[in-house]
């Protein structure tokens, strides 16, 4: 009976749990459908018809109920529904405005005791695209005002404001009116003093002058002026489809390029050319050069390529040369207006030499220095003279200003030759009469060009100052001491005139001195300087030197003088070395006085031979060791020994000292300072190993630092002083040996002079 009761209760619990699962699932479904129904009711009032499509399919659940206190709250939405429907209907979204509005019971989990009641307007809107509020429409007047006064991000930058200012300035009404500038700095806030009124406010800034870069006008080509529009469009369409071109290298449009273009014209009326540096940087200039040398018309340009049209009358003009066109069109197309910069540059370069037609930069065309003569007969560098109370060298500020000035100047010459530049130097001297700076460009693509050799050759020939030299330009300044040819001739004439006057004065003085005879007693004047007596004394002393001595005797005397001078130099160096040794010894003695070595203890432990052999083998197998450096034995080494003895009885000290006596001295010092027992000294492949045993009665000391030893810094200083003294003694020994050899050579020379009877 008890077992059957237990079975019935377990079955009852299982059924309750299954019912709860069903109810919770139904509650979740009903909750989601509740949200959907609320959203649908917010859109239209007739949503109850659509919502009734879902509710008949739902099971009856007690989780949705209405308030019994106000049953009329549902009448507005339930008039068109079926009254026989047993399921309740949710309230409309406007029901939350009434105090007695219905609430929605949300399904709750079993651990919540009561149902969760929320108003319909408190439910979250789960739609992906919530409606956005519309902005009110603006009138035309508001838009016009906003275009100039509104502050919007991203549309009022410098470029936008410059466009607005430019558009306002171009208006016809603003061209005749003068702008009115209001100085805000003249206003003052509550201050009547004149000083305060003149001060600028902190937010006031000075007006900036904005300079707008003018847009480059489109260049009208010769093809656009000559050819018809239909023909030009047809040629450009064909040029865009061309895939075969003539390669123009760094040398420019040479005769080879012209021949290839003409050979392409034999089969096609168009020829394509593709440019390399430097002409690809200035395609307008490339177009002019190609039209000038080939006689064709450039109809299409794209990046670094252009297409040349041979012309309608090519058969007639094919046999006529174009050499005369190069000379006639150097200054541009006939009828073209040249700028002031080009006119002044042409005037400056006029008469200096032939122009370089393949120039890759804007006009004026520079002079081709390779076509100038290599040797100019009778050429001489210009005369130079320093200004009074000045120096010919340039200061850094002057050099910087001259380089800035040369940057904007046109190029005067183009050079591709390293040597034989007298013709170029002569042209530079003519240019310096009108300009202080000569700017020379180096040709592209010319093999074996050396800008350093060019610059040195020009400096030697002209005597100018080199401002800049690189692989592109050479810039020469004529210098502060440069004299133009007219000034140089005037100076030379004046010098000859002054020299002639001096000669006339000297001749007249001699005549006056010969006419007057004055007898002077030499006893009255005690000084013989500049007199005949001084000359006689010199003749008596050194007269036989030139007459009697031979060449070998003079060589012996010169060698003796050299040895004496070298002997004095070596003695001076030896004295300096001895002084340095003395100072180093004094410092070393001071450091050694601070180091008081410990004496060995007379009552030491005695080790047997078996114990020594055992400790030696143990130390040989040890991997850890203590390395002794250049400082030798100091307090840090003794502290390291104590640290090793903390874990083991034997310590191995490795030293790199070369002589065995130094190794034995170091071993005894370690034994005395540490209080251990020296086991043995072993020879290693590099250095020696000192094996120390701590002793049977070893106790770790309380203080590791020894007061009688040197510190780490003092030990390093002592080692450096010892090394310095050793090197100084070595060099002093070399000096003494050299002095001894010189003295012996000097004695031999003196003996040879005595034998010769000098």
């Amino acid at each position: 009976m008890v077992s059957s009761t237990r079975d019935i209760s377990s079955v009852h619990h299982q059924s309750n749990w299954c019912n709860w699962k069903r109810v919770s699932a139904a509650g979740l479904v009903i909750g989601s459908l509740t949200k959907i129904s609320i959203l649908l009711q917010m859109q239209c009032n007739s949503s109850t018809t659509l919502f009734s499509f879902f509710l008949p399919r739902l099971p009856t659940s007690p989780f949705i109920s209405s308030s019994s206190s106000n049953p009329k709250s549902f009448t507005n939405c339930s008039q068109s529904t079926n009254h026989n429907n047993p399921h309740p209907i949710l309230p409309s979204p406007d029901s939350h405005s009434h105090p007695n509005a219905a609430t929605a019971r949300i399904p709750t989990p079993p651990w919540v005791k009561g149902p969760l009641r929320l108003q319909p307007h408190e439910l979250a809107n789960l739609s992906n695209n919530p409606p956005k509020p519309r902005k009110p429409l603006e009138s035309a007047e508001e838009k016009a005002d906003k275009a100039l006064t509104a502050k919007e991000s991203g549309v009022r930058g410098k470029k936008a404001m410059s466009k607005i200012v430019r558009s306002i300035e171009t208006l016809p009404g603003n061209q005749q009116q003068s702008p009115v500038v209001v100085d805000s700095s003249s206003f003052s806030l509550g201050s009547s003093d004149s000083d305060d009124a003149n001060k600028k406010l902190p937010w006031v800034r000075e007006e900036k002058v904005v300079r707008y870069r003018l847009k480059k006008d489109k260049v009208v080509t010769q093809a656009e002026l000559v050819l018809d529009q239909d023909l030009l469009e047809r040629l450009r369409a064909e040029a865009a489809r061309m895939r075969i071109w003539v390669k123009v290298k760094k040398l420019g449009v040479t005769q080879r390029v012209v021949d290839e273009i003409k050979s392409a014209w034999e089969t096609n009326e168009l020829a394509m050319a593709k440019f390399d540096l430097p002409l690809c940087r200035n395609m307008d200039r490339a177009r002019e050069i190609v039209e000038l040398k080939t006689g064709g018309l450039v109809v299409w340009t794209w990046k670094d390529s252009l297409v040349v049209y041979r012309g309608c009358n090519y058969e007639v003009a094919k046999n006529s040369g174009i050499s005369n066109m190069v000379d006639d069109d150097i200054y541009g197309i006939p009828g073209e207006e040249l700028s002031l910069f080009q006119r002044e540059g042409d005037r400056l370069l006029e008469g200096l030499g032939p122009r370089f037609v393949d120039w890759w930069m804007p006009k004026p065309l520079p002079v081709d220095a390779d076509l100038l003569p290599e040797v100019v007969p009778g050429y001489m560098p210009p005369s130079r003279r320093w200004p009074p109370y000045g120096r010919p060298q340039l200061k850094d500020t002057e050099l910087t200003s001259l380089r800035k000035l040369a940057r904007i100047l046109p190029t005067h010459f183009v050079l591709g030759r390293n040597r034989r530049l007298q013709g170029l130097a002569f042209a530079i001297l003519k240019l310096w009469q009108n300009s202080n700076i000569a700017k020379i460009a180096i040709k592209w693509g010319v093999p074996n060009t050396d800008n350093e050799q060019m610059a040195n050759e020009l400096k030697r020939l002209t005597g100018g100052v080199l401002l800049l030299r690189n692989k592109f330009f050479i810039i020469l300044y004529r210098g502060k001491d440069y004299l133009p040819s007219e000034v140089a001739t005037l100076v030379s004439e004046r010098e000859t005139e002054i020299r002639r006057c001096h000669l006339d004065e000297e001749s007249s003085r001699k005549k006056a001195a010969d006419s007057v005879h004055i007898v002077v007693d030499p006893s009255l004047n005690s000084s013989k300087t500049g007199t005949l007596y001084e000359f006689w004394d010199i003749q008596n002393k050194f007269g036989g030197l030139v007459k009697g001595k031979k060449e070998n005797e003079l060589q012996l005397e010169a060698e003796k003088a050299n040895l004496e001078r070298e002997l004095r130099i070596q003695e001076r160096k030896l004295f300096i070395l001895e002084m340095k040794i003395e100072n180093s010894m004094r410092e070393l003695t001071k450091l050694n006085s601070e180091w008081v070595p410990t004496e060995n203890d007379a009552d030491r432990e005695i080790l047997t031979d078996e114990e020594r052999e055992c400790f030696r083998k143990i130390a040989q197998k040890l991997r850890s060791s203590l390395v002794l450096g250049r400082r030798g034995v100091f307090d840090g080494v003794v502290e390291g020994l104590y640290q090793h003895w903390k874990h083991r009885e034997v310590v191995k000290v490795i030293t790199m000292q070369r002589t065995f006596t130094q190794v034995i001295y170091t071993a005894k010092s370690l034994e005395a300072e540490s209080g251990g027992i020296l086991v043995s000294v072993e020879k290693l492949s590099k250095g020696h190993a000192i094996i120390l045993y701590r002793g049977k009665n070893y106790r770790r000391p309380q203080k590791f630092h020894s007061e009688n030893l040197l510190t780490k810094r003092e030990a390093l200083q002592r080692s450096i002083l010892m090394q310095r003294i050793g090197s100084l003694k070595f060099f002093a020994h070399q000096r003494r040996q050299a002095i001894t050899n010189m003295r012996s050579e000097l004695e031999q020379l003196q003996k040879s002079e005595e034998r010769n009877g000098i």
Side-chain angles (χ1 to χ4, degrees), residues 372-392:
L372 296 175
E374 297 181 356
V375 179
V376 177
Y379 174 78
M380 291 292 293
S383 60
R384 294 182 175 273
R385 189 177 296 273
W386 291 0
Y389 306 106
R391 64 173 192 175

PDB file of all heavy atoms in Angstrom, residues 372-392:
ATOM      1  N   LEU A 372      80.921  75.752 -77.109  1.00  0.00           N
ATOM      2  CA  LEU A 372      81.893  76.837 -76.960  1.00  0.00           C
ATOM      3  C   LEU A 372      83.290  76.307 -77.228  1.00  0.00           C
ATOM      4  O   LEU A 372      83.566  75.110 -77.080  1.00  0.00           O
ATOM      5  CB  LEU A 372      81.798  77.428 -75.549  1.00  0.00           C
ATOM      6  CG  LEU A 372      80.474  78.110 -75.187  1.00  0.00           C
ATOM      7  CD1 LEU A 372      80.486  78.537 -73.731  1.00  0.00           C
ATOM      8  CD2 LEU A 372      80.215  79.311 -76.087  1.00  0.00           C
ATOM      9  N   PRO A 373      84.240  77.172 -77.608  1.00  0.00           N
ATOM     10  CA  PRO A 373      85.609  76.690 -77.911  1.00  0.00           C
ATOM     11  C   PRO A 373      86.279  76.110 -76.670  1.00  0.00           C
ATOM     12  O   PRO A 373      86.090  76.585 -75.552  1.00  0.00           O
ATOM     13  CB  PRO A 373      86.318  77.948 -78.419  1.00  0.00           C
ATOM     14  CG  PRO A 373      85.515  79.094 -77.909  1.00  0.00           C
ATOM     15  CD  PRO A 373      84.104  78.625 -77.853  1.00  0.00           C
ATOM     16  N   GLU A 374      87.085  75.077 -76.921  1.00  0.00           N
ATOM     17  CA  GLU A 374      87.783  74.431 -75.815  1.00  0.00           C
ATOM     18  C   GLU A 374      88.942  75.269 -75.302  1.00  0.00           C
ATOM     19  O   GLU A 374      89.221  75.281 -74.096  1.00  0.00           O
ATOM     20  CB  GLU A 374      88.284  73.053 -76.259  1.00  0.00           C
ATOM     21  CG  GLU A 374      87.176  72.090 -76.633  1.00  0.00           C
ATOM     22  CD  GLU A 374      87.714  70.736 -77.042  1.00  0.00           C
ATOM     23  OE1 GLU A 374      88.957  70.613 -77.102  1.00  0.00           O
ATOM     24  OE2 GLU A 374      86.908  69.829 -77.300  1.00  0.00           O
ATOM     25  N   VAL A 375      89.656  75.947 -76.184  1.00  0.00           N
ATOM     26  CA  VAL A 375      90.823  76.755 -75.815  1.00  0.00           C
ATOM     27  C   VAL A 375      90.629  78.151 -76.393  1.00  0.00           C
ATOM     28  O   VAL A 375      90.296  78.308 -77.580  1.00  0.00           O
ATOM     29  CB  VAL A 375      92.132  76.130 -76.342  1.00  0.00           C
ATOM     30  CG1 VAL A 375      93.322  77.001 -75.970  1.00  0.00           C
ATOM     31  CG2 VAL A 375      92.309  74.726 -75.791  1.00  0.00           C
ATOM     32  N   VAL A 376      90.834  79.154 -75.557  1.00  0.00           N
ATOM     33  CA  VAL A 376      90.758  80.561 -75.972  1.00  0.00           C
ATOM     34  C   VAL A 376      92.174  81.115 -75.963  1.00  0.00           C
ATOM     35  O   VAL A 376      92.835  81.117 -74.913  1.00  0.00           O
ATOM     36  CB  VAL A 376      89.840  81.368 -75.033  1.00  0.00           C
ATOM     37  CG1 VAL A 376      89.820  82.833 -75.438  1.00  0.00           C
ATOM     38  CG2 VAL A 376      88.445  80.796 -75.032  1.00  0.00           C
ATOM     39  N   PRO A 377      92.709  81.537 -77.090  1.00  0.00           N
ATOM     40  CA  PRO A 377      94.097  82.042 -77.099  1.00  0.00           C
ATOM     41  C   PRO A 377      94.218  83.319 -76.266  1.00  0.00           C
ATOM     42  O   PRO A 377      93.410  84.233 -76.346  1.00  0.00           O
ATOM     43  CB  PRO A 377      94.377  82.316 -78.585  1.00  0.00           C
ATOM     44  CG  PRO A 377      93.129  82.068 -79.334  1.00  0.00           C
ATOM     45  CD  PRO A 377      92.097  81.554 -78.416  1.00  0.00           C
ATOM     46  N   GLY A 378      95.269  83.330 -75.450  1.00  0.00           N
ATOM     47  CA  GLY A 378      95.542  84.501 -74.616  1.00  0.00           C
ATOM     48  C   GLY A 378      94.624  84.649 -73.430  1.00  0.00           C
ATOM     49  O   GLY A 378      94.529  85.753 -72.862  1.00  0.00           O
ATOM     50  N   TYR A 379      93.972  83.570 -73.008  1.00  0.00           N
ATOM     51  CA  TYR A 379      93.051  83.696 -71.870  1.00  0.00           C
ATOM     52  C   TYR A 379      93.842  83.745 -70.571  1.00  0.00           C
ATOM     53  O   TYR A 379      94.781  82.954 -70.358  1.00  0.00           O
ATOM     54  CB  TYR A 379      92.078  82.516 -71.846  1.00  0.00           C
ATOM     55  CG  TYR A 379      91.192  82.499 -70.619  1.00  0.00           C
ATOM     56  CD1 TYR A 379      90.101  83.336 -70.523  1.00  0.00           C
ATOM     57  CD2 TYR A 379      91.483  81.658 -69.546  1.00  0.00           C
ATOM     58  CE1 TYR A 379      89.297  83.334 -69.401  1.00  0.00           C
ATOM     59  CE2 TYR A 379      90.688  81.645 -68.419  1.00  0.00           C
ATOM     60  CZ  TYR A 379      89.599  82.486 -68.347  1.00  0.00           C
ATOM     61  OH  TYR A 379      88.810  82.478 -67.230  1.00  0.00           O
ATOM     62  N   MET A 380      93.461  84.638 -69.694  1.00  0.00           N
ATOM     63  CA  MET A 380      94.073  84.780 -68.374  1.00  0.00           C
ATOM     64  C   MET A 380      92.970  84.918 -67.337  1.00  0.00           C
ATOM     65  O   MET A 380      91.946  85.561 -67.594  1.00  0.00           O
ATOM     66  CB  MET A 380      94.973  86.017 -68.328  1.00  0.00           C
ATOM     67  CG  MET A 380      96.234  85.896 -69.168  1.00  0.00           C
ATOM     68  SD  MET A 380      97.386  84.668 -68.516  1.00  0.00           S
ATOM     69  CE  MET A 380      97.868  85.470 -66.998  1.00  0.00           C
ATOM     70  N   PRO A 381      93.153  84.311 -66.167  1.00  0.00           N
ATOM     71  CA  PRO A 381      92.155  84.506 -65.101  1.00  0.00           C
ATOM     72  C   PRO A 381      92.040  85.974 -64.732  1.00  0.00           C
ATOM     73  O   PRO A 381      92.985  86.757 -64.887  1.00  0.00           O
ATOM     74  CB  PRO A 381      92.714  83.675 -63.937  1.00  0.00           C
ATOM     75  CG  PRO A 381      93.615  82.676 -64.578  1.00  0.00           C
ATOM     76  CD  PRO A 381      94.204  83.362 -65.774  1.00  0.00           C
ATOM     77  N   PRO A 382      90.883  86.403 -64.258  1.00  0.00           N
ATOM     78  CA  PRO A 382      90.690  87.830 -63.960  1.00  0.00           C
ATOM     79  C   PRO A 382      91.527  88.270 -62.768  1.00  0.00           C
ATOM     80  O   PRO A 382      91.876  87.478 -61.883  1.00  0.00           O
ATOM     81  CB  PRO A 382      89.189  87.927 -63.665  1.00  0.00           C
ATOM     82  CG  PRO A 382      88.814  86.571 -63.189  1.00  0.00           C
ATOM     83  CD  PRO A 382      89.676  85.608 -63.954  1.00  0.00           C
ATOM     84  N   SER A 383      91.869  89.547 -62.771  1.00  0.00           N
ATOM     85  CA  SER A 383      92.605  90.118 -61.642  1.00  0.00           C
ATOM     86  C   SER A 383      91.656  90.329 -60.474  1.00  0.00           C
ATOM     87  O   SER A 383      90.505  90.732 -60.649  1.00  0.00           O
ATOM     88  CB  SER A 383      93.238  91.446 -62.056  1.00  0.00           C
ATOM     89  OG  SER A 383      92.238  92.364 -62.453  1.00  0.00           O
ATOM     90  N   ARG A 384      92.164  90.075 -59.301  1.00  0.00           N
ATOM     91  CA  ARG A 384      91.344  90.188 -58.091  1.00  0.00           C
ATOM     92  C   ARG A 384      92.082  91.032 -57.062  1.00  0.00           C
ATOM     93  O   ARG A 384      93.316  91.006 -56.965  1.00  0.00           O
ATOM     94  CB  ARG A 384      91.023  88.804 -57.510  1.00  0.00           C
ATOM     95  CG  ARG A 384      90.136  87.974 -58.430  1.00  0.00           C
ATOM     96  CD  ARG A 384      89.783  86.631 -57.842  1.00  0.00           C
ATOM     97  NE  ARG A 384      88.843  85.921 -58.695  1.00  0.00           N
ATOM     98  CZ  ARG A 384      87.537  86.042 -58.636  1.00  0.00           C
ATOM     99  NH1 ARG A 384      86.997  86.852 -57.744  1.00  0.00           N
ATOM    100  NH2 ARG A 384      86.751  85.371 -59.450  1.00  0.00           N
ATOM    101  N   ARG A 385      91.313  91.734 -56.256  1.00  0.00           N
ATOM    102  CA  ARG A 385      91.889  92.594 -55.218  1.00  0.00           C
ATOM    103  C   ARG A 385      90.913  92.630 -54.051  1.00  0.00           C
ATOM    104  O   ARG A 385      89.723  92.859 -54.245  1.00  0.00           O
ATOM    105  CB  ARG A 385      92.142  93.998 -55.758  1.00  0.00           C
ATOM    106  CG  ARG A 385      92.925  94.889 -54.806  1.00  0.00           C
ATOM    107  CD  ARG A 385      93.182  96.226 -55.459  1.00  0.00           C
ATOM    108  NE  ARG A 385      94.024  96.090 -56.630  1.00  0.00           N
ATOM    109  CZ  ARG A 385      95.359  96.089 -56.597  1.00  0.00           C
ATOM    110  NH1 ARG A 385      95.985  96.225 -55.449  1.00  0.00           N
ATOM    111  NH2 ARG A 385      96.039  95.971 -57.718  1.00  0.00           N
ATOM    112  N   TRP A 386      91.451  92.387 -52.865  1.00  0.00           N
ATOM    113  CA  TRP A 386      90.609  92.384 -51.676  1.00  0.00           C
ATOM    114  C   TRP A 386      90.126  93.796 -51.365  1.00  0.00           C
ATOM    115  O   TRP A 386      90.860  94.760 -51.540  1.00  0.00           O
ATOM    116  CB  TRP A 386      91.371  91.848 -50.472  1.00  0.00           C
ATOM    117  CG  TRP A 386      91.678  90.393 -50.573  1.00  0.00           C
ATOM    118  CD1 TRP A 386      91.346  89.556 -51.581  1.00  0.00           C
ATOM    119  CD2 TRP A 386      92.393  89.615 -49.628  1.00  0.00           C
ATOM    120  NE1 TRP A 386      91.804  88.292 -51.345  1.00  0.00           N
ATOM    121  CE2 TRP A 386      92.444  88.296 -50.138  1.00  0.00           C
ATOM    122  CE3 TRP A 386      92.983  89.877 -48.405  1.00  0.00           C
ATOM    123  CZ2 TRP A 386      93.074  87.263 -49.461  1.00  0.00           C
ATOM    124  CZ3 TRP A 386      93.607  88.852 -47.723  1.00  0.00           C
ATOM    125  CH2 TRP A 386      93.651  87.550 -48.247  1.00  0.00           C
ATOM    126  N   PRO A 387      88.907  93.914 -50.874  1.00  0.00           N
ATOM    127  CA  PRO A 387      88.443  95.248 -50.447  1.00  0.00           C
ATOM    128  C   PRO A 387      89.186  95.678 -49.189  1.00  0.00           C
ATOM    129  O   PRO A 387      89.614  94.848 -48.378  1.00  0.00           O
ATOM    130  CB  PRO A 387      86.952  95.027 -50.172  1.00  0.00           C
ATOM    131  CG  PRO A 387      86.825  93.577 -49.889  1.00  0.00           C
ATOM    132  CD  PRO A 387      87.878  92.885 -50.713  1.00  0.00           C
ATOM    133  N   PRO A 388      89.385  96.981 -49.005  1.00  0.00           N
ATOM    134  CA  PRO A 388      90.108  97.444 -47.805  1.00  0.00           C
ATOM    135  C   PRO A 388      89.315  97.154 -46.538  1.00  0.00           C
ATOM    136  O   PRO A 388      88.099  97.342 -46.490  1.00  0.00           O
ATOM    137  CB  PRO A 388      90.265  98.950 -48.049  1.00  0.00           C
ATOM    138  CG  PRO A 388      89.185  99.288 -49.026  1.00  0.00           C
ATOM    139  CD  PRO A 388      88.984  98.082 -49.879  1.00  0.00           C
ATOM    140  N   TYR A 389      90.026  96.702 -45.518  1.00  0.00           N
ATOM    141  CA  TYR A 389      89.451  96.390 -44.201  1.00  0.00           C
ATOM    142  C   TYR A 389      88.310  95.359 -44.320  1.00  0.00           C
ATOM    143  O   TYR A 389      87.259  95.482 -43.685  1.00  0.00           O
ATOM    144  CB  TYR A 389      88.932  97.658 -43.510  1.00  0.00           C
ATOM    145  CG  TYR A 389      89.971  98.739 -43.407  1.00  0.00           C
ATOM    146  CD1 TYR A 389      89.905  99.856 -44.231  1.00  0.00           C
ATOM    147  CD2 TYR A 389      91.026  98.641 -42.496  1.00  0.00           C
ATOM    148  CE1 TYR A 389      90.865 100.852 -44.151  1.00  0.00           C
ATOM    149  CE2 TYR A 389      91.990  99.627 -42.413  1.00  0.00           C
ATOM    150  CZ  TYR A 389      91.903 100.736 -43.233  1.00  0.00           C
ATOM    151  OH  TYR A 389      92.853 101.711 -43.157  1.00  0.00           O
ATOM    152  N   GLY A 390      88.491  94.408 -45.144  1.00  0.00           N
ATOM    153  CA  GLY A 390      87.480  93.358 -45.320  1.00  0.00           C
ATOM    154  C   GLY A 390      88.158  92.036 -45.613  1.00  0.00           C
ATOM    155  O   GLY A 390      89.370  91.954 -45.843  1.00  0.00           O
ATOM    156  N   ARG A 391      87.362  91.015 -45.617  1.00  0.00           N
ATOM    157  CA  ARG A 391      87.883  89.684 -45.910  1.00  0.00           C
ATOM    158  C   ARG A 391      87.128  89.123 -47.109  1.00  0.00           C
ATOM    159  O   ARG A 391      85.916  89.324 -47.259  1.00  0.00           O
ATOM    160  CB  ARG A 391      87.729  88.755 -44.712  1.00  0.00           C
ATOM    161  CG  ARG A 391      86.301  88.463 -44.311  1.00  0.00           C
ATOM    162  CD  ARG A 391      86.265  87.406 -43.233  1.00  0.00           C
ATOM    163  NE  ARG A 391      84.915  86.890 -43.026  1.00  0.00           N
ATOM    164  CZ  ARG A 391      84.628  85.877 -42.207  1.00  0.00           C
ATOM    165  NH1 ARG A 391      85.596  85.312 -41.528  1.00  0.00           N
ATOM    166  NH2 ARG A 391      83.392  85.443 -42.084  1.00  0.00           N
ATOM    167  N   PRO A 392      87.834  88.407 -47.975  1.00  0.00           N
ATOM    168  CA  PRO A 392      87.163  87.889 -49.175  1.00  0.00           C
ATOM    169  C   PRO A 392      86.281  86.676 -48.901  1.00  0.00           C
ATOM    170  O   PRO A 392      85.463  86.307 -49.742  1.00  0.00           O
ATOM    171  CB  PRO A 392      88.334  87.521 -50.086  1.00  0.00           C
ATOM    172  CG  PRO A 392      89.449  87.202 -49.151  1.00  0.00           C
ATOM    173  CD  PRO A 392      89.270  88.102 -47.966  1.00  0.00           C
TER     174      PRO A 392
END
